[in-house]
Amino acid sequence: MGTFLSITLILLALTSAANSCLPSDRAALMAFKAALHEPYLGIFNSWAGPDCCHNWYGVSCDPMTKRVADINLRGESEDPIFEKAHRTGFMTGSISPAICRLNRLSSLTIADWKGISGIIPPCIANLPFLRILDLIGNNITGEMPTDIGRLSRLTVLNVADNRLTGTIPRSITNLSSLMHLDLRSNQISGTLPTNFGKLRMLSRALLSRNRLTGSIPFSISYIYRLADLDLSFNRLSGPIPEGLGKMAVLATLNLDGNRISGKLPTTLLNSAISILNLSRNAIDGNIPDVFGPRSYFTAIDLSYNLLRGPIPKSITAATYIGHLDLSHNHLCGPIPVGSPFDHLEASSFVFNDCLCGKPLRPC
């Protein structure tokens, strides 16, 4: 009986060991945790015991290999821990390079903690299975890893709302699987890579509120799947590539708050774009008289530019225009009658040279 009990206990121990995480993965997680300080919620209290694959907050393992596959730590969550504390999370510290020892990691989300600082460990570029890297809403500084283009499986790269500096790594255009790129609200400078169009799987490119300079690469128009492009509030100059208006699924184009010059491409006004914001630039010349049934804008903002001439009469042929702002230009002549002008207010037309007609003064 004693021998049977001993064998049973040995088998149970072996089964438990087979179903728990690797000691090396656990050690990497503990080193990662040691570099962080979370004083309010106690989310790391569950990081105890030998098996990091079960009931460790924010940690998931591959059921086949028992290797750590996902780390999901988000400071704004509907998790009961957050609801009970009646607060969002606040964490300080830094992202330890120990994270790179988890070489089967598929997703890494350390988001919305506000106080996490330090750099993105360059060794993250060595994680061959990484698909999601989401570090939004922290206080991370330094540059993006130079070799980030080595992450051939990466589909989501989100480092928005940090304090990253330096330039966009040239290797980023090697991310052939990338679908979502979000670099908003950092201090990234330099130019956009001329071969940005190599990111053929990209559907969203959000790069607003940085310090980007130079011109908009024409190659962006080669990204067939791109639906949302936001380059607003940078220091971009030069003309708008005509190819942007020929893109099959581009629905939102925000280029406001730059130093863009040249003419307004005719292609933009008779395209698939529904939200077009080109305000606060130096675009000159006439507004092309090319609106038609394909023109369907929930919002079009051309304010604070150097546009001249009349408001094109073809705009009444647009299928729909919800919001229109032509203020702060040098437009002149009568405001056309009919839709969409019958529902627009004077603020859409003020501070032009000599516009007249409803809702402004009579001609």
Side-chain angles (χ1 to χ4, degrees), residues 5-23 50-51 54 66:
L5 183 60
S6 297
I7 293 171
T8 302
L9 289 172
I10 291 169
L11 287 174
L12 284 171
L14 289 172
T15 303
S16 176
N19 286 327
S20 55
C21 69
L22 284 185
D51 188 5
H54 292 93
K66 309 304 176 189

Side-chain angles (χ1 to χ4, degrees), residues 215-282:
S215 58
I216 301 169
F218 184 85
S219 67
I220 288 179
S221 60
Y222 301 150
I223 307 175
Y224 180 82
R225 301 167 183 264
L226 192 63
D228 188 353
L229 177 61
D230 189 350
L231 298 172
S232 60
F233 295 99
N234 279 285
R235 300 168 185 177
L236 298 170
S237 57
I240 301 171
E242 285 207 11
L244 296 184
K246 299 177 182 178
M247 297 176 70
V249 295
L250 187 65
T252 301
L253 178 60
N254 291 320
L255 302 179
D256 46 307
N258 280 287
R259 301 167 183 175
I260 295 167
S261 58
K263 309 300 181 191
L264 181 58
T266 59
T267 53
L268 294 182
L269 303 180
N270 203 359
S271 66
I273 297 171
S274 60
I275 297 176
L276 178 65
N277 192 341
L278 307 180
S279 66
R280 299 180 187 277
N281 280 289

Side-chain angles (χ1 to χ4, degrees), residues 106 128-133 148 151-158 175-180:
S106 175
F129 296 96
L130 198 63
R131 294 181 301 104
I132 296 171
L133 179 59
I148 199 159
L151 298 173
S152 59
R153 289 180 168 86
L154 200 67
T155 60
V156 174
L157 174 57
N158 187 352
L175 298 175
S176 56
S177 300
L178 194 65
M179 297 179 183
H180 179 100

Side-chain angles (χ1 to χ4, degrees), residues 17 29 36 60 66 69 75 85 105 128 155 159-160 181 185 204 208 243 267 275 292 354:
L29 286 171
L36 296 168
S60 303
K66 309 304 176 189
L105 202 60
T155 60
V159 293
L181 175 64
S185 300
R204 302 189 79 201
S208 63
T267 53
I275 297 176
C354 48

Side-chain angles (χ1 to χ4, degrees), residues 116 135-140 159-164 184-186:
I116 294 178
L135 306 177
I136 187 176
N138 289 295
N139 200 24
I140 297 169
V159 293
D161 297 319
N162 280 285
R163 292 196 294 133
L164 293 172
R184 288 175 296 174
S185 300
N186 279 285

Side-chain angles (χ1 to χ4, degrees), residues 39-40 172 297:
Y40 302 115
I172 202 170
F297 291 100

